[in-house]
Amino acid sequence: MKKNKLTVIGLAFAGLLLAACDAKPTPSTSTSAGTSDSASASSSAVEPDLRNADLARGKLTYTDENGQEKNLTRSRIYAASGAPHVDSRPATGVKQKLLVAPIKFQKDPTDAKDTIEANDELLAKINLSFVGDDEALKTVAGAEIYSVKSFYEKSSFGKGAFDVVVLPCWIEYNGTAKAFQTSASNQGGGVAMSNYVKSWYATEYAKAGHGALGADWQYKWSDFDSDKDGYLDLIWQVYAYPYTEHDTSFWWAYVTYTGNQKNVADPNIMTLAWASTNFMSKFNGYDTHTFIHETGHTLGVNDYYDYNNAWKPMGGVDFMDHNLGDHGAYTKFMYGWVEPYVLREEDLADDKVAEITLRAQTTSGDCLVLASPDYNGTAYDEYFMVELVGPYGICERDYKSGYESTKGFTKPGLRITHVDGRMYQRDHDTYIKDPNELGRNGGDFRVSNSYGGRNNMRDDQDWWPNEDGSVKKWFCEQHLMESNLDAQNNCLTSPQYSATNGTLFVKNQRFTLTNNSGWAKTFMPSGTNLWNKAKTITGWNGTSKQKFTIDENCTCNFYLKVKDIVTDPTYGAIATITVNLAK
């Protein structure tokens, strides 16, 4: 679902695979021998110089104008930009409130679409889908799915959990759905309804016995502003009316922002989510996938699918792509939920070798950043993210059984993604290197996972051109570096591509960008081992041809080998990898 500030968010050639000598070539690559180990320093016969405990960790904080240390989350950066979001890493002991408002309309016998019965049974399904415990939801849904509350408790390792409150009754709009759409045409459904909801709540709460809310209702409106910033933390408006496929302007699932001014005494709504009860239709009417996905946007991250349907950078397997599994390590880094190990090339100088252990990310939070030169230590820079993924924890059902025709990873392996999370403030041609500047003054991403940019405008179009500007290889915010290389059919060439077990790196497989490796030629915009940041934009000729310089020394020289992946009763799986510098 689309994301714009204060607006709506949405939805082979030889030698490519450096596999072990006894591994069979994948069907998508040629059968000639892969690059031999002679191209790199051998890392298997020496005692490692560095282990997990020797590595720096990703930076999750910044220092504000008063010298106070605060969390550097995507939501914090949005707030500094003037667009408050839900706090993905609230202060210890303070959970963000998530208010769920079920919406019904007066029946319209002339409206053929008006088919949903907003009754007690549907209200109970909304309640369980948002707050139900795992066993209760599994029993009625007939599958291992999770409520919104349970998912975010588990995905965040308790760091970004919500205190979810579902209203005990329907809010009945004083008119039909058609009448509401007509009256809200200038504001959009979500924003217009939020005004109605606030007024309705104030009226009912003021009545004897709190009106439709009931005498036992314990929440004042201001209770839903847990951080006392003058805004409700988050409101989910779940309406009983069919959605219109891909109508991002009204009857669809999205997150948006009202632009209201803060009011500490009587909090206003800023961040809201809006979706039809029909999104719950699967799993016996308890499907939570869309609600989990949209809640991810309220914490500040983009969609990872391509709005222009030209490629599929994450291959579908991510909750911010095709709504399945779990949030990936990059997303959790932005949320402030994981603290990656960080490996820089200078750490491996003088032929040093690092041996790193990674437990499955979704059950442990483990992940590794292979940093670009001059890396600022945060999620908001360029790097490779390495994480062990597989059918464990909250990923298990989706990965094994699939969701909406997309399956996940049924066997464990390392997922390696190229992240370009650099941000800008006012001058898109530059990027912010200082984490303190991001936290204090905000910023937005230079690029997205939509081919050519989310808005098809220059302000999120970064590419690597040939010297004559004739060929543009677009930058992504995050994309796969696939193990089973296919230069013609991959995540950056085909919108039909889907990630598979073969996408992941497994025991004895290697990854490197050096020596014109297949990964560099196929997946790096430069077509070489140069990072995106090797290019500096110095100006424009018109609106399409960049002036730029290239730093030929801004190269990636990591050489990673998967030493082993073993099963583990607690985390599902554990991987051991070695990293050194290629020669």
Side-chain angles (χ1 to χ4, degrees):
M1 313 330 180
K2 294 184 178 178
K3 166 181 274 294
N4 290 302
K5 195 180 299 180
L6 294 180
T7 54
V8 170
I9 295 182
L11 214 355
F13 35 83
L16 293 185
L17 179 61
L18 298 179
C21 59
D22 59 348
K24 295 180 180 179
T26 61
S28 60
T29 58
S30 72
T31 58
S32 55
T35 304
S36 71
D37 282 350
S38 62
S40 295
S42 173
S43 60
S44 60
V46 297
E47 182 68 19
D49 302 285
L50 302 169
R51 296 187 184 273
N52 291 50
D54 301 309
L55 302 185
R57 305 302 290 266
K59 185 175 177 59
L60 302 180
T61 61
Y62 74 100
T63 303
D64 71 7
E65 297 86 344
N66 300 315
Q68 299 295 311
E69 188 175 69
K70 293 185 177 179
N71 292 328
L72 184 64
T73 60
R74 184 68 188 97
S75 49
R76 170 61 240 168
I77 294 170
Y78 256 116
S81 302
H85 276 57
V86 182
D87 191 348
S88 62
R89 183 73 186 269
T92 302
V94 181
K95 291 184 178 181
Q96 296 277 276
K97 282 285 198 301
L98 193 169
L99 174 62
V100 182
I103 311 295
K104 64 184 295 187
F105 301 95
Q106 293 179 1
K107 298 301 290 183
D108 184 354
T110 68
D111 183 359
K113 289 178 59 180
D114 190 1
T115 57
I116 298 176
E117 293 297 327
N119 52 29
D120 290 344
E121 179 184 1
L122 185 55
L123 184 63
K125 286 184 174 182
I126 294 172
N127 189 295
L128 201 57
S129 297
F130 274 89
V131 302
D133 65 53
D134 298 345
E135 285 303 314
L137 196 55
K138 178 181 178 180
T139 298
V140 296
E144 194 82 27
I145 63 172
Y146 301 89
S147 67
V148 174
K149 179 180 179 181
S150 179
F151 176 90
Y152 277 94
E153 180 76 42
K154 291 176 169 62
S155 184
S156 71
F157 312 104
K159 298 172 183 175
F162 290 97
D163 180 6
V164 182
V165 178
V166 183
L167 291 180
C169 59
W170 289 98
I171 298 176
E172 183 170 348
Y173 179 74
N174 187 27
T176 65
K178 278 186 173 180
F180 171 68
Q181 183 170 1
T182 300
S183 68
S185 59
N186 292 329
Q187 291 180 293
V191 173
M193 185 56 71
S194 71
N195 297 327
Y196 188 89
V197 168
K198 183 178 181 182
S199 175
W200 177 93
Y201 195 99
T203 299
E204 294 301 315
Y205 191 83
K207 292 178 180 178
H210 302 319
L213 294 167
D216 294 333
W217 189 249
Q218 58 182 309
Y219 298 101
K220 302 187 297 294
W221 182 254
S222 59
D223 291 338
F224 299 111
D225 176 15
S226 63
D227 54 9
K228 306 306 177 188
D229 67 349
Y231 295 111
L232 257 66
D233 297 339
L234 172 61
I235 186 168
W236 247 110
Q237 298 175 149
V238 184
Y239 60 86
Y241 190 75
Y243 63 85
T244 302
E245 188 76 14
H246 303 308
D247 175 8
T248 57
S249 62
F250 209 91
W251 301 117
W252 185 238
Y254 59 77
V255 168
T256 193
Y257 313 99
T258 65
N260 288 331
Q261 297 298 306
K262 67 175 63 176
N263 186 333
V264 176
D266 184 21
N268 281 319
I269 294 172
M270 172 61 87
T271 306
L272 65 90
W274 167 258
S276 167
T277 56
N278 267 11
F279 282 105
M280 301 164 55
S281 58
K282 296 180 178 63
F283 302 106
N284 297 326
Y286 294 91
D287 188 358
T288 58
H289 286 78
T290 295
F291 302 104
I292 291 170
H293 173 100
E294 295 302 330
T295 301
H297 286 311
T298 72
L299 303 175
V301 300
N302 289 330
D303 284 311
Y304 295 151
Y305 60 80
D306 177 15
Y307 295 165
N308 299 323
N309 198 35
W311 59 15
K312 195 181 286 186
M314 290 300 291
V317 187
D318 189 279
F319 231 108
M320 300 315 293
D321 192 343
H322 277 199
N323 297 12
L324 81 165
D326 188 13
H327 291 303
Y330 167 55
T331 302
K332 293 187 183 184
F333 194 10
M334 286 190 285
Y335 286 160
W337 297 347
V338 298
E339 192 177 7
Y341 298 104
V342 175
L343 190 60
R344 302 171 187 263
E345 290 195 12
E346 50 263 40
D347 298 330
L348 300 171
D350 301 321
D351 295 328
K352 288 188 177 69
V353 176
E355 183 173 288
I356 300 155
T357 299
L358 296 175
R359 301 165 294 182
Q361 186 277 119
T362 198
T363 54
S364 73
D366 286 356
C367 48
L368 170 69
V369 163
L370 300 178
S372 63
D374 198 28
Y375 171 60
N376 67 11
T378 76
Y380 314 102
D381 205 325
E382 186 182 6
Y383 48 88
F384 289 107
M385 177 63 82
V386 183
E387 59 186 312
L388 177 61
V389 295
Y392 312 117
I394 56 177
C395 287
E396 183 174 2
R397 197 225 68 86
D398 282 358
Y399 276 12
K400 289 181 177 179
S401 301
Y403 180 72
E404 296 282 12
S405 76
T406 299
K407 285 193 174 182
F409 306 116
T410 58
K411 296 180 180 179
L414 286 183
R415 178 166 60 183
I416 301 177
T417 58
H418 177 204
V419 172
D420 190 345
R422 293 177 295 165
M423 290 190 161
Y424 74 102
Q425 283 170 346
R426 284 167 285 279
D427 177 7
H428 176 266
D429 296 347
T430 61
Y431 67 94
I432 307 166
K433 299 180 180 181
D434 181 9
N436 297 328
E437 181 67 15
L438 278 174
R440 295 170 186 174
N441 296 311
D444 205 356
F445 291 112
R446 288 163 58 97
V447 296
S448 73
N449 272 17
S450 284
Y451 187 89
R454 290 190 303 270
N455 302 316
N456 205 26
M457 295 167 59
R458 188 184 108 179
D459 67 3
D460 55 4
Q461 293 184 8
D462 267 359
W463 61 78
W464 194 286
N466 285 344
E467 289 296 327
D468 63 2
S470 60
V471 176
K472 300 172 183 176
K473 296 189 73 173
W474 299 101
F475 292 0
C476 282
E477 182 184 347
Q478 180 185 205
H479 68 85
L480 295 166
M481 306 295 289
E482 303 170 36
S483 171
N484 56 346
L485 271 167
D486 183 336
Q488 281 72 48
N489 182 30
N490 59 64
C491 66
L492 298 184
T493 63
S494 171
Q496 283 76 46
Y497 170 85
S498 292
T500 66
N501 291 337
T503 303
L504 307 177
F505 290 80
V506 297
K507 183 177 180 179
N508 290 331
Q509 288 186 320
R510 288 99 163 158
F511 168 74
T512 182
L513 295 186
T514 57
N515 301 324
N516 292 316
S517 74
W519 288 286
K521 292 178 180 178
T522 303
F523 294 117
M524 296 299 285
S526 64
T528 69
N529 67 337
L530 287 170
W531 295 91
N532 292 354
K533 64 168 58 173
K535 186 191 79 171
T536 298
I537 301 172
T538 59
W540 293 77
N541 286 328
T543 60
S544 60
K545 190 171 182 180
Q546 295 174 350
K547 298 178 182 178
F548 59 90
T549 59
I550 301 293
D551 179 1
E552 298 290 346
N553 295 314
C554 191
T555 58
C556 177
N557 302 292
F558 292 109
Y559 183 90
L560 180 152
K561 177 183 176 181
V562 184
K563 187 174 181 181
D564 204 1
I565 299 176
V566 298
T567 59
D568 180 81
T570 302
Y571 298 101
I574 298 178
T576 304
I577 63 176
T578 57
V579 187
N580 54 286
L581 295 183
K583 292 185 176 180

